[in-house]
Amino acid sequence: MKRKLTFLVVFLILILAACTSKQSSNEKEEEKNKENEIVDATESKVDGLKTTNFEILTGNEFTIVAKKAIHQLNSKVTVEAFTFNGSVPGSQIRVKEGEKVKINFKNELPEPTSIHWHGIPLPNEMDGIPGVTQNAVQPGESFTYEFIASVPGTYMYHTHQDAVNQLDKGLYGSFIVEPKEKTYDRDYTLMLDEWISSSAVSDMSSGDMAGMDNSNMNGMDHSNMSGMDHGSSSNDQEQSGNASMGHNMNMYDIYTMNGKSGEAIEPLKVKEGEKIRIRLANIGYLPHNIHLHGHTFKVVAIDGQELNEPKEIKDQLISIAPGERYDIEFTADNPGEWYLECHGDMEGSKGMKAMIQYEGNNDSNDKSNQDEKLPIFSFTNYGNATNGGFTLDQKYDVEYTMDLNGNNTDNIWTINGKTFPNTDGINVNKGDLVKVKLVNNSPTGVIHPMHLHGHFFQVLSKNGHPLDGAPIFKDTISLEPGDEYVVAFEADNPGNWLFHCHDLHHATAGMVDMIKYEGFQPSFTPDPNANNKPE
């Protein structure tokens, strides 16, 4: 009897084990099927949406399409981006000095947008500012921009609709106006930017890709970040970030050159004996300190404007603030491989490195020295003086002071104590000579890169000291804490023109002013249903 009972127990145990094994096998099969479904879903969503390498467009008529795409920043991080022509940055537009340019723009994004031609002097109705010069281009609609590329130089184009979010998703590109006579053999453009890895498309099976972009961090929209402190100075910010606020720019942990970071950045090929021009354009929200290894070089242009008799320098950092462009030139006379890198100890700094590679010679012992504090280039006493057109003590028709202020506590950034659209504005008549004093009085110690649309201004003094080098003409001037600059320009381009901080978190929070020409009437009627957001 005991034997029968023992046999029965053993038999039942074997049956249970077999059932459990079969159930476990079925569960594993179901899990595998689910995984396959996820992979299939992921592939179907990504298929046809991945970004491509940016193209260089030449001629004088172009088509630019704004659309979404999945973009890979480095070997590990992929984000959903907004793109021009399916790439980050968008297609580079290259035209000849004096050409009439026509750009047919189509919006295939799910939200309104526009294109602003950063730094390019053009008619007011072509400036691309929703609610100021045009209505935002709605999804599925088009707009044609036309202007003459009259001034050679390095420029950018980017969205100006809800730009604190849209630009941060990759909606930008470079625009090069080539001079009639070139001074260089080979020419590269590097657009500098920052991204947030925490917004990577890491769970595309969730079916909610629309909310995944590098402007969100745990669902936080940039419009709620407008009071964030973005660095105490162009050098200190790269070296140590900023700890004087609840949030800081350390969330931007991937720095890119032309939309790529680290080993994904394409090397810059050169040939011994060639003269190389590198155009450095900062489209991001942080200043970047760029160091060229192994060569002496000249700073030949700033914000697209050529400098008078630039001098050779070496081992100086070129600090490029948001909205600024610096062109450097060097002779390829030191064969091997050499770094062109960002200096600083913020997490993203290590990824902002390109390699200068000589054709036929890859031998180099060069090493990164991104933590080394090198002298920072200053344009205030660089190059040779010549007549720039304006002086500090001449008579001006209009004089205006911009007190740049604000704080993180209230998330408000002001000009003369007011926020846009309630700022005073600078009222001018065509032909007026205008002098503007800009002072950074922000108590929280932030930088303010102030960008003027539609005009170039001459920089006359910094902190009470007149410039004593080459005349400097710019469209963006970066003020560190306590800085005071005096600039001057001629009101020679009628319209309503923004003068705003190009840290767009600050612009969104109020730091926008406007140049207003007397008697000017915009050529469009604002549409209350266009959702115009000109920040």
Side-chain angles (χ1 to χ4, degrees):
M1 184 69 180
K2 287 183 180 179
R3 288 181 180 178
K4 288 183 179 180
L5 185 60
T6 302
F7 177 79
L8 183 61
V9 169
V10 171
F11 181 71
L12 289 172
I13 289 173
L14 290 173
I15 290 175
L16 287 171
C19 290
T20 302
S21 175
K22 185 176 182 181
Q23 182 180 7
S24 175
S25 176
N26 288 339
E27 287 175 352
K28 287 180 179 179
E29 189 65 29
E30 287 178 9
E31 292 247 338
K32 188 174 181 180
N33 289 336
K34 286 181 180 178
E35 287 177 2
N36 288 336
E37 287 175 7
I38 289 173
V39 170
D40 291 342
T42 301
E43 289 176 349
S44 66
K45 287 178 181 177
V46 173
D47 186 36
L49 294 175
K50 292 181 181 179
T51 54
T52 59
N53 293 330
F54 76 90
E55 294 182 314
I56 298 177
L57 306 179
T58 59
N60 57 13
E61 184 169 353
F62 310 94
T63 297
I64 300 293
V65 181
K67 54 188 175 182
K68 295 168 72 172
I70 303 302
H71 181 63
Q72 191 159 357
L73 298 171
N74 57 31
S75 60
K76 297 180 180 179
V77 180
T78 301
V79 296
E80 184 182 79
F82 282 6
T83 75
F84 287 127
N85 286 359
S87 62
V88 178
S91 300
Q92 180 177 92
I93 298 175
R94 295 187 77 96
V95 300
K96 304 293 185 183
E97 177 185 355
E99 277 192 328
K100 185 174 182 179
V101 180
K102 182 177 182 180
I103 300 104
N104 302 303
F105 171 56
K106 184 176 181 181
N107 181 16
E108 293 183 358
L109 294 172
E111 58 191 70
T113 190
S114 72
I115 299 182
H116 166 59
W117 310 95
H118 183 106
I120 302 175
L122 39 59
N124 190 243
E125 63 268 23
M126 296 290 107
D127 199 37
I129 314 303
V132 178
T133 68
Q134 68 173 91
N135 289 305
V137 182
Q138 303 302 305
E141 295 188 0
S142 300
F143 189 91
T144 298
Y145 296 93
E146 293 184 272
F147 53 87
I148 295 175
S150 57
V151 182
T154 303
Y155 305 103
M156 304 186 287
Y157 66 98
H158 61 78
T159 175
H160 224 292
Q161 163 76 7
D162 187 26
V164 72
N165 288 304
Q166 290 190 357
L167 187 150
D168 209 27
K169 296 176 185 179
L171 208 54
Y172 55 80
S174 57
F175 192 109
I176 310 302
V177 181
E178 295 181 342
K180 293 178 180 177
E181 295 184 10
K182 294 183 181 180
T183 60
Y184 45 87
D185 300 303
R186 209 177 297 211
D187 181 5
Y188 290 102
T189 303
L190 296 175
M191 299 197 78
L192 313 179
D193 195 12
E194 313 92 28
W195 297 73
I196 303 170
S197 66
S198 63
S199 60
V201 183
S202 57
D203 185 14
M204 296 175 59
S205 62
S206 67
D208 182 21
M209 289 166 48
M212 298 180 188
D213 58 68
N214 73 307
S215 64
N216 285 331
M217 184 178 182
N218 298 325
M220 180 171 59
D221 190 280
H222 277 310
S223 59
N224 297 320
M225 295 158 48
S226 54
M228 290 187 178
D229 189 345
H230 305 316
S232 56
S233 74
S234 61
N235 188 38
D236 293 342
Q237 188 168 1
E238 281 287 5
Q239 300 294 338
S240 60
N242 188 350
S244 64
M245 57 179 181
H247 297 96
N248 62 37
M249 295 299 272
N250 288 333
M251 63 185 180
Y252 285 100
D253 57 347
I254 298 179
Y255 293 176
T256 59
M257 290 177 163
N258 290 345
K260 298 294 184 180
S261 186
E263 293 182 357
I265 297 173
E266 290 288 331
L268 309 182
K269 300 285 189 180
V270 303
K271 185 181 293 185
E272 187 173 2
E274 288 181 329
K275 184 174 285 187
I276 310 298
R277 175 171 289 216
I278 300 178
R279 305 171 188 266
L280 301 162
N282 190 346
I283 195 63
Y285 299 140
L286 287 166
H288 293 292
N289 299 323
I290 303 300
H291 177 211
L292 172 65
H293 289 215
H295 300 80
T296 59
F297 65 94
K298 297 178 181 179
V299 178
V300 293
I302 301 177
D303 288 357
Q305 309 311 296
E306 300 288 316
L307 301 187
N308 184 52
E309 298 182 13
K311 307 299 182 184
E312 284 194 336
I313 58 178
K314 188 176 183 180
D315 292 330
Q316 291 189 28
L317 302 180
I318 307 299
S319 183
I320 310 170
E324 288 187 320
R325 292 90 63 209
Y326 278 77
D327 293 15
I328 63 173
E329 281 187 6
F330 67 93
T331 299
D333 56 5
N334 194 5
E337 289 189 342
W338 301 96
Y339 279 106
L340 178 71
E341 66 174 351
C342 176
H343 274 226
D345 60 6
M346 292 184 74
E347 184 176 353
S349 302
K350 62 182 179 294
M352 191 176 271
K353 290 177 171 62
M355 294 300 295
I356 309 292
Q357 287 186 351
Y358 279 71
E359 294 180 359
N361 189 324
N362 296 325
D363 297 331
S364 178
N365 295 318
D366 191 28
K367 296 180 180 179
S368 168
N369 63 348
Q370 69 172 55
D371 295 327
E372 185 176 346
K373 291 190 176 183
L374 297 173
I376 294 182
F377 168 81
S378 173
F379 59 69
T380 60
N381 57 0
Y382 181 74
N384 282 340
T386 187
N387 182 20
F390 294 102
T391 62
L392 281 168
D393 54 3
Q394 74 181 73
K395 184 181 182 300
Y396 288 91
D397 302 294
V398 177
E399 297 191 27
Y400 187 80
T401 296
M402 282 189 177
D403 173 6
L404 309 175
N405 217 316
N407 62 78
N408 295 313
T409 304
D410 300 324
N411 292 346
I412 294 174
W413 298 96
T414 64
I415 297 177
N416 299 333
K418 299 178 181 179
T419 58
F420 186 78
N422 299 316
T423 43
D424 297 328
I426 307 175
N427 296 309
V428 302
N429 289 293
K430 185 178 180 182
D432 280 350
L433 303 183
V434 184
K435 182 167 75 171
V436 180
K437 179 168 70 174
L438 303 100
V439 187
N440 184 355
N441 287 318
S442 298
T444 45
V446 301
I447 68 166
H448 294 304
M450 298 299 294
H451 172 54
L452 174 61
H453 290 212
H455 305 75
F456 298 110
F457 50 75
Q458 184 180 345
V459 184
L460 300 179
S461 69
K462 178 182 181 181
N463 299 333
H465 301 288
L467 270 63
D468 58 5
I472 301 296
F473 292 89
K474 292 174 61 61
D475 54 66
T476 305
I477 189 81
S478 184
L479 290 90
E480 297 190 5
D483 271 353
E484 174 188 297
Y485 280 97
V486 175
V487 304
F489 65 93
E490 181 181 354
D492 58 0
N493 193 4
N496 293 323
W497 301 99
L498 298 188
F499 201 160
H500 67 93
C501 183
H502 219 274
D503 180 335
L504 299 180
H505 306 94
H506 297 166
T508 300
M511 192 168 278
V512 179
D513 216 332
M514 190 177 290
I515 311 294
K516 303 175 184 177
Y517 280 70
E518 296 289 347
F520 176 80
Q521 294 295 326
S523 60
F524 82 108
T525 302
D527 182 354
N529 299 315
N531 192 27
N532 291 320
K533 295 182 179 179
E535 298 91 355

